[in-house]
Amino acid sequence: MRGSRFGMSALLTVCALVPTAGGAVAAPSAAAPDGTALQAALDRVTATGAVGAVAEVRQGDAVWRGSSGRSRLGGRQPAPVDGRFRAGSVTKTFTATVVLQLVGEGRLRLSDTAERWLPGLVPAPGGDRITVRDLLQHASGLPEYTDGLLDGDVPRDRFRTWTAAELVRRAVKDGDRNRPLLFPPGTDHHYSNTDYIVLGMIIEKVTGRSYRTEIDQRIIRPLGLRDTRLPGSSPFLTGPHSHGYEPVEKGDGTLVPVDYTTVNMSVAGAAGEIISSTADLDHFFRTLLTGGLLRPAELREMTADPSGGGWGLGLEIATLPCGTIVGHGGGTPGYRTVSFHTLDGTRQVTVDWTDWGTDADADADAGPAALALMTTALCPA
């Protein structure tokens, strides 16, 4: 879940470092992606800290997929190009899509308060004024429930099953005292996974079915996303996949990589539990951005950034030298994902990589290389 805000802020830095040719705006390319350049860029991801990396790039109907590195630390098997991974906060775009579908169906309004659907959930002063729009755009003021629950991306109890109510209580209560909001709802933005846990609860209240069922029935099954699922309390990552690692400190202070491929991600819930693949995420985002999942009115709401803060409704919004892009990043134990796309869905890139050196060695950070790959893919010279 850590990787979600990282997706945009790091991307903006890379954009300044990797301009398009001549500084001009790059036109959409009808040609196939430059596989040689993209593979070289992907190899730089594994050369700068990742154990393995996979990517898919789409330009129009042309598709390039690649992998680099290994599926296991110290192993020989290549990272599977069609491998599944934990995509973390990319889950938020799926959750937001269902919410906006309910808005389009007239069953929910962006101006509805969380209090209307979940009375008494946020007891702090001002909590009754938090709207669905505030939750979607990280403008609720709700504190982060993960504080004290995670070490970096790692749950302190990796196999515990959490309910949404338990997670929200961590955000709104400090013992028997109510925790105050960080700011009055709608007056500022602060990235909070709590917002999306609450949205998952609202989906369940409106539909009478879990957000997992709604995402499955409304998105995963209709789009044929065969590698995508919401595992709930199941800790297993099945099918082809690379292993994810996190640094753990030993008694002598040294850091060693620990395999966190198996972990109960109910701790992330509607904010970050999804498992997917590069092909599935690109297919989802293209369908979304070309109007296959939302009505035009809701899609315009989703992709707008009225505050200029880089937040749509369930989307991160950034500007490359060749124009505006939207998508989301994600970070879970062992996995880092970025999935960004042009507004018309004609140019797309999804990258996932596994590393552990980021926190063990400041010089071993694959993130900038991954984001440079994104710029190469989305702004072909």
Side-chain angles (χ1 to χ4, degrees), residues 147-212:
D147 293 345
L149 191 59
L150 307 178
D151 291 323
D153 280 334
V154 178
R156 292 183 174 176
D157 188 344
R158 68 187 284 184
F159 295 115
R160 173 172 172 171
T161 295
W162 293 87
T163 67
E166 288 174 322
L167 296 174
V168 174
R169 180 178 172 81
R170 290 185 57 87
V172 302
K173 289 284 190 178
D174 182 5
D176 293 330
R177 296 182 300 173
N178 296 334
R179 294 182 66 184
L181 298 180
L182 301 177
F183 48 80
T187 65
D188 202 351
H189 292 83
H190 176 79
Y191 188 86
S192 175
N193 290 290
T194 310
D195 290 352
Y196 277 76
I197 300 298
V198 175
L199 286 168
M201 296 173 74
I202 290 175
I203 290 171
E204 294 182 12
K205 191 72 172 182
V206 173
T207 66
R209 303 197 300 177
S210 72
Y211 70 85
R212 294 185 182 97

Short mmCIF file of all heavy atoms in Angstrom, two decimals, residues 147-212:
data_model
loop_
_atom_site.label_atom_id
_atom_site.label_comp_id
_atom_site.label_asym_id
_atom_site.label_seq_id
_atom_site.Cartn_x
_atom_site.Cartn_y
_atom_site.Cartn_z
N ASP A 147 -0.99 3.06 10.65
CA ASP A 147 0.03 3.53 11.60
C ASP A 147 0.12 2.56 12.78
O ASP A 147 -0.88 2.28 13.46
CB ASP A 147 -0.31 4.93 12.11
CG ASP A 147 -0.21 5.99 11.02
OD1 ASP A 147 0.38 5.69 9.96
OD2 ASP A 147 -0.73 7.10 11.21
N GLY A 148 1.31 2.04 13.00
CA GLY A 148 1.51 1.10 14.08
C GLY A 148 1.14 -0.33 13.74
O GLY A 148 1.36 -1.25 14.54
N LEU A 149 0.58 -0.53 12.54
CA LEU A 149 0.16 -1.86 12.12
C LEU A 149 1.16 -2.50 11.17
O LEU A 149 1.25 -3.72 11.08
CB LEU A 149 -1.21 -1.76 11.43
CG LEU A 149 -1.97 -3.04 11.14
CD1 LEU A 149 -2.26 -3.80 12.43
CD2 LEU A 149 -3.27 -2.70 10.43
N LEU A 150 1.92 -1.65 10.46
CA LEU A 150 2.88 -2.12 9.48
C LEU A 150 4.28 -1.61 9.82
O LEU A 150 4.43 -0.53 10.38
CB LEU A 150 2.53 -1.61 8.08
CG LEU A 150 1.13 -1.86 7.53
CD1 LEU A 150 1.00 -1.21 6.16
CD2 LEU A 150 0.82 -3.34 7.45
N ASP A 151 5.27 -2.40 9.46
CA ASP A 151 6.66 -1.94 9.43
C ASP A 151 7.02 -1.78 7.96
O ASP A 151 7.29 -2.76 7.26
CB ASP A 151 7.59 -2.95 10.10
CG ASP A 151 7.37 -3.02 11.60
OD1 ASP A 151 7.10 -1.97 12.20
OD2 ASP A 151 7.46 -4.13 12.16
N GLY A 152 6.99 -0.54 7.46
CA GLY A 152 7.11 -0.32 6.03
C GLY A 152 5.85 -0.85 5.36
O GLY A 152 4.76 -0.37 5.60
N ASP A 153 6.00 -1.86 4.51
CA ASP A 153 4.86 -2.52 3.90
C ASP A 153 4.49 -3.83 4.60
O ASP A 153 3.54 -4.49 4.21
CB ASP A 153 5.17 -2.85 2.43
CG ASP A 153 5.00 -1.65 1.52
OD1 ASP A 153 4.22 -0.75 1.86
OD2 ASP A 153 5.67 -1.60 0.47
N VAL A 154 5.22 -4.21 5.63
CA VAL A 154 5.08 -5.54 6.21
C VAL A 154 4.14 -5.53 7.41
O VAL A 154 4.38 -4.81 8.39
CB VAL A 154 6.46 -6.07 6.65
CG1 VAL A 154 6.31 -7.44 7.31
CG2 VAL A 154 7.40 -6.15 5.46
N PRO A 155 3.04 -6.30 7.36
CA PRO A 155 2.17 -6.42 8.53
C PRO A 155 2.92 -7.04 9.70
O PRO A 155 3.69 -8.00 9.51
CB PRO A 155 1.04 -7.34 8.06
CG PRO A 155 1.10 -7.31 6.57
CD PRO A 155 2.54 -7.09 6.22
N ARG A 156 2.74 -6.49 10.87
CA ARG A 156 3.42 -7.05 12.05
C ARG A 156 2.91 -8.45 12.38
O ARG A 156 3.60 -9.22 13.03
CB ARG A 156 3.25 -6.09 13.22
CG ARG A 156 4.01 -4.79 13.01
CD ARG A 156 3.93 -3.85 14.18
NE ARG A 156 4.78 -2.69 13.96
CZ ARG A 156 4.86 -1.65 14.79
NH1 ARG A 156 4.12 -1.63 15.90
NH2 ARG A 156 5.66 -0.64 14.51
N ASP A 157 1.68 -8.75 11.98
CA ASP A 157 1.14 -10.10 12.12
C ASP A 157 0.70 -10.54 10.73
O ASP A 157 -0.41 -10.26 10.31
CB ASP A 157 -0.03 -10.11 13.10
CG ASP A 157 -0.51 -11.52 13.43
OD1 ASP A 157 -0.14 -12.45 12.68
OD2 ASP A 157 -1.26 -11.68 14.40
N ARG A 158 1.57 -11.23 10.00
CA ARG A 158 1.37 -11.44 8.57
C ARG A 158 0.25 -12.41 8.24
O ARG A 158 -0.20 -12.47 7.09
CB ARG A 158 2.66 -11.92 7.92
CG ARG A 158 3.12 -13.30 8.32
CD ARG A 158 4.49 -13.64 7.77
NE ARG A 158 4.48 -13.97 6.35
CZ ARG A 158 5.56 -14.36 5.68
NH1 ARG A 158 6.73 -14.43 6.29
NH2 ARG A 158 5.49 -14.66 4.41
N PHE A 159 -0.24 -13.18 9.21
CA PHE A 159 -1.30 -14.15 8.92
C PHE A 159 -2.62 -13.84 9.63
O PHE A 159 -3.56 -14.62 9.55
CB PHE A 159 -0.83 -15.57 9.26
CG PHE A 159 0.31 -16.03 8.40
CD1 PHE A 159 1.55 -16.28 8.95
CD2 PHE A 159 0.13 -16.18 7.04
CE1 PHE A 159 2.60 -16.70 8.15
CE2 PHE A 159 1.19 -16.60 6.22
CZ PHE A 159 2.43 -16.85 6.78
N ARG A 160 -2.71 -12.69 10.29
CA ARG A 160 -3.95 -12.33 10.95
C ARG A 160 -4.99 -11.89 9.93
O ARG A 160 -4.68 -11.22 8.96
CB ARG A 160 -3.72 -11.22 11.96
CG ARG A 160 -5.02 -10.69 12.55
CD ARG A 160 -4.85 -9.74 13.69
NE ARG A 160 -6.12 -9.16 14.06
CZ ARG A 160 -6.32 -8.39 15.14
NH1 ARG A 160 -5.31 -8.14 15.95
NH2 ARG A 160 -7.52 -7.90 15.40
N THR A 161 -6.24 -12.27 10.17
CA THR A 161 -7.35 -11.78 9.36
C THR A 161 -7.99 -10.58 10.04
O THR A 161 -8.33 -10.64 11.23
CB THR A 161 -8.40 -12.88 9.16
OG1 THR A 161 -7.82 -13.94 8.39
CG2 THR A 161 -9.63 -12.35 8.42
N TRP A 162 -8.13 -9.49 9.28
CA TRP A 162 -8.72 -8.26 9.77
C TRP A 162 -10.07 -8.02 9.11
O TRP A 162 -10.25 -8.30 7.92
CB TRP A 162 -7.82 -7.07 9.48
CG TRP A 162 -6.53 -7.05 10.22
CD1 TRP A 162 -5.35 -7.65 9.85
CD2 TRP A 162 -6.26 -6.40 11.47
NE1 TRP A 162 -4.38 -7.41 10.80
CE2 TRP A 162 -4.91 -6.65 11.80
CE3 TRP A 162 -7.03 -5.63 12.34
CZ2 TRP A 162 -4.31 -6.16 12.95
CZ3 TRP A 162 -6.45 -5.14 13.50
CH2 TRP A 162 -5.11 -5.40 13.80
N THR A 163 -11.02 -7.48 9.88
CA THR A 163 -12.27 -7.02 9.30
C THR A 163 -12.17 -5.52 9.02
O THR A 163 -11.34 -4.82 9.61
CB THR A 163 -13.46 -7.26 10.24
OG1 THR A 163 -13.32 -6.42 11.41
CG2 THR A 163 -13.52 -8.73 10.68
N ALA A 164 -13.01 -5.04 8.12
CA ALA A 164 -13.01 -3.62 7.81
C ALA A 164 -13.33 -2.79 9.05
O ALA A 164 -12.71 -1.74 9.29
CB ALA A 164 -14.03 -3.33 6.70
N ALA A 165 -14.26 -3.25 9.86
CA ALA A 165 -14.63 -2.51 11.07
C ALA A 165 -13.45 -2.38 12.02
O ALA A 165 -13.24 -1.33 12.64
CB ALA A 165 -15.81 -3.19 11.77
N GLU A 166 -12.66 -3.45 12.15
CA GLU A 166 -11.48 -3.40 13.01
C GLU A 166 -10.47 -2.38 12.50
O GLU A 166 -9.87 -1.63 13.28
CB GLU A 166 -10.82 -4.77 13.09
CG GLU A 166 -11.58 -5.80 13.90
CD GLU A 166 -10.95 -7.17 13.82
OE1 GLU A 166 -10.45 -7.56 12.74
OE2 GLU A 166 -10.95 -7.88 14.84
N LEU A 167 -10.27 -2.35 11.19
CA LEU A 167 -9.30 -1.43 10.61
C LEU A 167 -9.74 0.02 10.79
O LEU A 167 -8.93 0.88 11.15
CB LEU A 167 -9.09 -1.76 9.13
CG LEU A 167 -8.49 -3.14 8.84
CD1 LEU A 167 -8.46 -3.40 7.35
CD2 LEU A 167 -7.09 -3.27 9.44
N VAL A 168 -11.00 0.30 10.55
CA VAL A 168 -11.49 1.67 10.69
C VAL A 168 -11.41 2.11 12.15
O VAL A 168 -11.06 3.26 12.45
CB VAL A 168 -12.92 1.81 10.15
CG1 VAL A 168 -13.48 3.20 10.44
CG2 VAL A 168 -12.93 1.55 8.64
N ARG A 169 -11.71 1.21 13.06
CA ARG A 169 -11.63 1.57 14.48
C ARG A 169 -10.22 2.01 14.85
O ARG A 169 -10.04 2.94 15.65
CB ARG A 169 -12.07 0.40 15.37
CG ARG A 169 -11.99 0.74 16.87
CD ARG A 169 -12.46 -0.37 17.77
NE ARG A 169 -12.19 -0.04 19.16
CZ ARG A 169 -12.93 0.75 19.91
NH1 ARG A 169 -14.01 1.31 19.41
NH2 ARG A 169 -12.60 0.99 21.17
N ARG A 170 -9.20 1.38 14.27
CA ARG A 170 -7.84 1.79 14.54
C ARG A 170 -7.60 3.24 14.12
O ARG A 170 -6.79 3.94 14.71
CB ARG A 170 -6.85 0.88 13.80
CG ARG A 170 -6.76 -0.53 14.32
CD ARG A 170 -5.66 -1.28 13.59
NE ARG A 170 -4.38 -0.59 13.71
CZ ARG A 170 -3.51 -0.75 14.70
NH1 ARG A 170 -3.79 -1.60 15.67
NH2 ARG A 170 -2.38 -0.07 14.72
N ALA A 171 -8.31 3.68 13.06
CA ALA A 171 -8.12 5.04 12.56
C ALA A 171 -8.89 6.07 13.37
O ALA A 171 -8.43 7.20 13.54
CB ALA A 171 -8.55 5.11 11.09
N VAL A 172 -10.07 5.69 13.86
CA VAL A 172 -10.94 6.69 14.49
C VAL A 172 -10.90 6.66 16.01
O VAL A 172 -11.43 7.58 16.66
CB VAL A 172 -12.40 6.51 14.01
CG1 VAL A 172 -12.48 6.63 12.50
CG2 VAL A 172 -13.00 5.20 14.49
N LYS A 173 -10.27 5.65 16.59
CA LYS A 173 -10.22 5.53 18.05
C LYS A 173 -8.78 5.40 18.54
O LYS A 173 -7.95 4.75 17.90
CB LYS A 173 -11.02 4.31 18.52
CG LYS A 173 -12.52 4.44 18.39
CD LYS A 173 -13.10 5.32 19.47
CE LYS A 173 -14.61 5.28 19.50
NZ LYS A 173 -15.16 6.12 20.59
N ASP A 174 -8.50 6.00 19.65
CA ASP A 174 -7.24 5.80 20.37
C ASP A 174 -7.63 5.32 21.75
O ASP A 174 -7.90 6.13 22.65
CB ASP A 174 -6.46 7.10 20.44
CG ASP A 174 -5.12 6.93 21.15
OD1 ASP A 174 -4.77 5.78 21.48
OD2 ASP A 174 -4.42 7.94 21.37
N GLY A 175 -7.69 4.01 21.91
CA GLY A 175 -8.26 3.46 23.14
C GLY A 175 -9.75 3.76 23.16
O GLY A 175 -10.48 3.45 22.23
N ASP A 176 -10.20 4.45 24.23
CA ASP A 176 -11.60 4.84 24.33
C ASP A 176 -11.85 6.25 23.84
O ASP A 176 -12.99 6.72 23.84
CB ASP A 176 -12.07 4.72 25.79
CG ASP A 176 -12.09 3.28 26.27
OD1 ASP A 176 -12.32 2.39 25.43
OD2 ASP A 176 -11.86 3.05 27.48
N ARG A 177 -10.80 6.93 23.40
CA ARG A 177 -10.95 8.32 22.95
C ARG A 177 -11.10 8.37 21.44
O ARG A 177 -10.53 7.57 20.71
CB ARG A 177 -9.74 9.15 23.38
CG ARG A 177 -9.58 9.28 24.91
CD ARG A 177 -8.39 10.17 25.22
NE ARG A 177 -7.15 9.63 24.68
CZ ARG A 177 -5.98 10.27 24.69
NH1 ARG A 177 -5.91 11.49 25.19
NH2 ARG A 177 -4.90 9.68 24.19
N ASN A 178 -11.87 9.36 21.00
CA ASN A 178 -12.02 9.58 19.57
C ASN A 178 -10.80 10.30 19.02
O ASN A 178 -10.36 11.31 19.60
CB ASN A 178 -13.26 10.42 19.28
CG ASN A 178 -14.54 9.73 19.69
OD1 ASN A 178 -14.61 8.50 19.74
ND2 ASN A 178 -15.58 10.50 19.98
N ARG A 179 -10.26 9.82 17.94
CA ARG A 179 -9.15 10.51 17.29
C ARG A 179 -9.70 11.63 16.42
O ARG A 179 -10.66 11.42 15.67
CB ARG A 179 -8.34 9.53 16.45
CG ARG A 179 -7.61 8.47 17.22
CD ARG A 179 -6.80 7.56 16.32
NE ARG A 179 -5.70 8.28 15.67
CZ ARG A 179 -4.89 7.74 14.77
NH1 ARG A 179 -5.08 6.48 14.39
NH2 ARG A 179 -3.92 8.43 14.24
N PRO A 180 -9.11 12.81 16.48
CA PRO A 180 -9.62 13.91 15.65
C PRO A 180 -9.28 13.70 14.18
O PRO A 180 -8.32 12.99 13.84
CB PRO A 180 -8.88 15.13 16.22
CG PRO A 180 -7.60 14.58 16.77
CD PRO A 180 -7.95 13.21 17.31
N LEU A 181 -10.06 14.34 13.31
CA LEU A 181 -9.72 14.35 11.90
C LEU A 181 -8.46 15.18 11.69
O LEU A 181 -8.15 16.08 12.47
CB LEU A 181 -10.88 14.94 11.08
CG LEU A 181 -12.21 14.19 11.12
CD1 LEU A 181 -13.23 14.92 10.27
CD2 LEU A 181 -12.05 12.75 10.67
N LEU A 182 -7.74 14.89 10.62
CA LEU A 182 -6.53 15.64 10.31
C LEU A 182 -6.86 17.05 9.83
O LEU A 182 -6.05 17.97 9.99
CB LEU A 182 -5.72 14.91 9.24
CG LEU A 182 -5.28 13.49 9.59
CD1 LEU A 182 -4.56 12.85 8.41
CD2 LEU A 182 -4.40 13.47 10.83
N PHE A 183 -8.03 17.24 9.23
CA PHE A 183 -8.50 18.53 8.75
C PHE A 183 -10.00 18.41 8.48
O PHE A 183 -10.52 17.30 8.33
CB PHE A 183 -7.75 18.97 7.49
CG PHE A 183 -7.66 17.92 6.42
CD1 PHE A 183 -8.72 17.65 5.55
CD2 PHE A 183 -6.50 17.15 6.29
CE1 PHE A 183 -8.65 16.67 4.58
CE2 PHE A 183 -6.42 16.15 5.31
CZ PHE A 183 -7.50 15.91 4.46
N PRO A 184 -10.73 19.52 8.39
CA PRO A 184 -12.16 19.43 8.06
C PRO A 184 -12.35 18.78 6.70
O PRO A 184 -11.61 19.06 5.75
CB PRO A 184 -12.61 20.90 8.06
CG PRO A 184 -11.61 21.60 8.91
CD PRO A 184 -10.30 20.90 8.69
N PRO A 185 -13.33 17.91 6.58
CA PRO A 185 -13.53 17.20 5.30
C PRO A 185 -13.66 18.16 4.12
O PRO A 185 -14.32 19.20 4.20
CB PRO A 185 -14.84 16.44 5.54
CG PRO A 185 -14.90 16.25 7.02
CD PRO A 185 -14.29 17.48 7.60
N GLY A 186 -12.97 17.79 3.04
CA GLY A 186 -13.06 18.55 1.80
C GLY A 186 -12.17 19.76 1.71
O GLY A 186 -12.15 20.44 0.67
N THR A 187 -11.37 20.04 2.75
CA THR A 187 -10.53 21.25 2.74
C THR A 187 -9.08 20.98 2.37
O THR A 187 -8.31 21.93 2.17
CB THR A 187 -10.57 21.94 4.11
OG1 THR A 187 -9.97 21.07 5.09
CG2 THR A 187 -12.00 22.26 4.52
N ASP A 188 -8.68 19.72 2.29
CA ASP A 188 -7.29 19.39 2.01
C ASP A 188 -7.25 17.96 1.48
O ASP A 188 -8.29 17.30 1.37
CB ASP A 188 -6.44 19.52 3.27
CG ASP A 188 -4.96 19.72 2.98
OD1 ASP A 188 -4.55 19.57 1.80
OD2 ASP A 188 -4.19 20.00 3.92
N HIS A 189 -6.05 17.48 1.15
CA HIS A 189 -5.87 16.10 0.70
C HIS A 189 -4.75 15.45 1.52
O HIS A 189 -3.72 16.06 1.76
CB HIS A 189 -5.50 16.04 -0.79
CG HIS A 189 -6.60 16.47 -1.69
ND1 HIS A 189 -6.84 17.79 -1.98
CD2 HIS A 189 -7.53 15.75 -2.36
CE1 HIS A 189 -7.87 17.88 -2.80
NE2 HIS A 189 -8.30 16.66 -3.04
N HIS A 190 -5.01 14.23 1.95
CA HIS A 190 -4.01 13.45 2.67
C HIS A 190 -4.26 12.00 2.34
O HIS A 190 -5.33 11.46 2.64
CB HIS A 190 -4.13 13.68 4.18
CG HIS A 190 -3.18 12.82 4.98
ND1 HIS A 190 -1.85 13.11 5.12
CD2 HIS A 190 -3.40 11.67 5.67
CE1 HIS A 190 -1.27 12.19 5.87
NE2 HIS A 190 -2.20 11.30 6.22
N TYR A 191 -3.27 11.36 1.71
CA TYR A 191 -3.46 9.98 1.28
C TYR A 191 -3.77 9.10 2.48
O TYR A 191 -3.03 9.09 3.46
CB TYR A 191 -2.21 9.46 0.57
CG TYR A 191 -2.43 8.11 -0.06
CD1 TYR A 191 -2.97 8.02 -1.34
CD2 TYR A 191 -2.16 6.95 0.64
CE1 TYR A 191 -3.21 6.79 -1.92
CE2 TYR A 191 -2.41 5.71 0.08
CZ TYR A 191 -2.93 5.63 -1.20
OH TYR A 191 -3.18 4.41 -1.76
N SER A 192 -4.87 8.36 2.38
CA SER A 192 -5.30 7.52 3.50
C SER A 192 -5.94 6.25 2.99
O SER A 192 -6.98 6.30 2.30
CB SER A 192 -6.29 8.27 4.40
OG SER A 192 -6.77 7.43 5.42
N ASN A 193 -5.36 5.11 3.32
CA ASN A 193 -5.99 3.84 3.00
C ASN A 193 -7.32 3.68 3.70
O ASN A 193 -8.20 2.96 3.22
CB ASN A 193 -5.05 2.70 3.37
CG ASN A 193 -3.84 2.61 2.47
OD1 ASN A 193 -3.95 2.26 1.31
ND2 ASN A 193 -2.67 2.95 3.00
N THR A 194 -7.48 4.37 4.83
CA THR A 194 -8.74 4.29 5.58
C THR A 194 -9.92 4.69 4.71
O THR A 194 -11.00 4.11 4.79
CB THR A 194 -8.67 5.20 6.82
OG1 THR A 194 -7.48 4.93 7.56
CG2 THR A 194 -9.88 4.98 7.72
N ASP A 195 -9.72 5.70 3.85
CA ASP A 195 -10.80 6.16 2.99
C ASP A 195 -11.40 5.01 2.18
O ASP A 195 -12.63 4.91 2.01
CB ASP A 195 -10.29 7.24 2.03
CG ASP A 195 -9.95 8.53 2.72
OD1 ASP A 195 -10.24 8.67 3.93
OD2 ASP A 195 -9.38 9.42 2.06
N TYR A 196 -10.54 4.14 1.67
CA TYR A 196 -11.02 3.08 0.80
C TYR A 196 -11.56 1.88 1.56
O TYR A 196 -12.39 1.13 1.04
CB TYR A 196 -9.93 2.71 -0.22
CG TYR A 196 -9.98 3.69 -1.37
CD1 TYR A 196 -9.47 4.98 -1.22
CD2 TYR A 196 -10.61 3.37 -2.55
CE1 TYR A 196 -9.58 5.91 -2.24
CE2 TYR A 196 -10.71 4.28 -3.58
CZ TYR A 196 -10.19 5.55 -3.42
OH TYR A 196 -10.32 6.47 -4.43
N ILE A 197 -11.12 1.69 2.78
CA ILE A 197 -11.76 0.68 3.63
C ILE A 197 -13.20 1.10 3.88
O ILE A 197 -14.13 0.27 3.79
CB ILE A 197 -11.00 0.51 4.96
CG1 ILE A 197 -9.54 0.08 4.71
CG2 ILE A 197 -11.72 -0.50 5.85
CD1 ILE A 197 -9.40 -1.26 4.03
N VAL A 198 -13.41 2.38 4.16
CA VAL A 198 -14.77 2.88 4.36
C VAL A 198 -15.60 2.74 3.09
O VAL A 198 -16.77 2.34 3.13
CB VAL A 198 -14.75 4.34 4.84
CG1 VAL A 198 -16.16 4.91 4.94
CG2 VAL A 198 -14.04 4.46 6.19
N LEU A 199 -15.02 3.03 1.93
CA LEU A 199 -15.75 2.87 0.67
C LEU A 199 -16.17 1.42 0.45
O LEU A 199 -17.27 1.15 -0.05
CB LEU A 199 -14.90 3.37 -0.50
CG LEU A 199 -14.76 4.89 -0.61
CD1 LEU A 199 -13.67 5.24 -1.62
CD2 LEU A 199 -16.08 5.54 -1.01
N GLY A 200 -15.30 0.48 0.81
CA GLY A 200 -15.67 -0.92 0.70
C GLY A 200 -16.88 -1.24 1.57
O GLY A 200 -17.78 -2.00 1.17
N MET A 201 -16.93 -0.64 2.76
CA MET A 201 -18.06 -0.85 3.66
C MET A 201 -19.33 -0.23 3.07
O MET A 201 -20.43 -0.79 3.20
CB MET A 201 -17.75 -0.25 5.03
CG MET A 201 -16.59 -0.92 5.74
SD MET A 201 -16.10 -0.09 7.28
CE MET A 201 -17.46 -0.57 8.36
N ILE A 202 -19.20 0.92 2.42
CA ILE A 202 -20.36 1.57 1.81
C ILE A 202 -20.90 0.73 0.66
O ILE A 202 -22.12 0.57 0.50
CB ILE A 202 -20.01 3.00 1.35
CG1 ILE A 202 -19.79 3.90 2.58
CG2 ILE A 202 -21.10 3.57 0.46
CD1 ILE A 202 -19.31 5.30 2.24
N ILE A 203 -20.00 0.17 -0.17
CA ILE A 203 -20.44 -0.72 -1.24
C ILE A 203 -21.28 -1.86 -0.67
O ILE A 203 -22.36 -2.20 -1.19
CB ILE A 203 -19.23 -1.28 -2.01
CG1 ILE A 203 -18.57 -0.18 -2.84
CG2 ILE A 203 -19.66 -2.44 -2.92
CD1 ILE A 203 -17.25 -0.60 -3.47
N GLU A 204 -20.83 -2.45 0.42
CA GLU A 204 -21.55 -3.56 1.03
C GLU A 204 -22.91 -3.11 1.56
O GLU A 204 -23.90 -3.83 1.43
CB GLU A 204 -20.70 -4.17 2.13
CG GLU A 204 -19.44 -4.85 1.62
CD GLU A 204 -18.61 -5.49 2.70
OE1 GLU A 204 -19.10 -5.62 3.84
OE2 GLU A 204 -17.46 -5.88 2.41
N LYS A 205 -22.97 -1.91 2.13
CA LYS A 205 -24.24 -1.41 2.67
C LYS A 205 -25.24 -1.12 1.55
O LYS A 205 -26.42 -1.43 1.67
CB LYS A 205 -23.96 -0.13 3.47
CG LYS A 205 -25.14 0.35 4.29
CD LYS A 205 -25.39 -0.55 5.49
CE LYS A 205 -26.42 0.03 6.42
NZ LYS A 205 -26.64 -0.81 7.61
N VAL A 206 -24.76 -0.54 0.45
CA VAL A 206 -25.65 -0.17 -0.65
C VAL A 206 -26.16 -1.41 -1.38
O VAL A 206 -27.34 -1.49 -1.74
CB VAL A 206 -24.92 0.76 -1.64
CG1 VAL A 206 -25.76 1.00 -2.89
CG2 VAL A 206 -24.59 2.09 -0.97
N THR A 207 -25.27 -2.38 -1.63
CA THR A 207 -25.63 -3.52 -2.48
C THR A 207 -26.09 -4.74 -1.71
O THR A 207 -26.74 -5.64 -2.28
CB THR A 207 -24.43 -3.93 -3.34
OG1 THR A 207 -23.39 -4.44 -2.49
CG2 THR A 207 -23.92 -2.75 -4.16
N GLY A 208 -25.73 -4.83 -0.44
CA GLY A 208 -26.02 -6.04 0.31
C GLY A 208 -25.05 -7.16 0.02
O GLY A 208 -25.25 -8.30 0.49
N ARG A 209 -24.00 -6.86 -0.75
CA ARG A 209 -22.98 -7.87 -1.07
C ARG A 209 -21.61 -7.27 -0.80
O ARG A 209 -21.43 -6.05 -0.82
CB ARG A 209 -23.09 -8.32 -2.53
CG ARG A 209 -24.45 -8.88 -2.89
CD ARG A 209 -24.41 -9.68 -4.18
NE ARG A 209 -23.98 -8.91 -5.33
CZ ARG A 209 -23.83 -9.43 -6.54
NH1 ARG A 209 -24.06 -10.73 -6.74
NH2 ARG A 209 -23.46 -8.67 -7.56
N SER A 210 -20.62 -8.12 -0.58
CA SER A 210 -19.28 -7.63 -0.27
C SER A 210 -18.69 -6.89 -1.47
O SER A 210 -19.05 -7.14 -2.63
CB SER A 210 -18.37 -8.80 0.12
OG SER A 210 -18.04 -9.57 -1.02
N TYR A 211 -17.75 -5.99 -1.18
CA TYR A 211 -17.08 -5.29 -2.27
C TYR A 211 -16.32 -6.28 -3.14
O TYR A 211 -16.19 -6.08 -4.36
CB TYR A 211 -16.13 -4.21 -1.74
CG TYR A 211 -14.91 -4.74 -1.04
CD1 TYR A 211 -13.77 -5.10 -1.74
CD2 TYR A 211 -14.91 -4.91 0.35
CE1 TYR A 211 -12.66 -5.61 -1.09
CE2 TYR A 211 -13.80 -5.42 1.00
CZ TYR A 211 -12.68 -5.77 0.28
OH TYR A 211 -11.59 -6.28 0.92
N ARG A 212 -15.83 -7.38 -2.56
CA ARG A 212 -15.14 -8.40 -3.35
C ARG A 212 -16.09 -9.00 -4.39
O ARG A 212 -15.73 -9.17 -5.56
CB ARG A 212 -14.58 -9.50 -2.45
CG ARG A 212 -13.48 -9.04 -1.51
CD ARG A 212 -12.87 -10.20 -0.74
NE ARG A 212 -11.86 -9.73 0.19
CZ ARG A 212 -12.07 -9.51 1.48
NH1 ARG A 212 -13.28 -9.74 2.00
NH2 ARG A 212 -11.10 -9.07 2.26
#
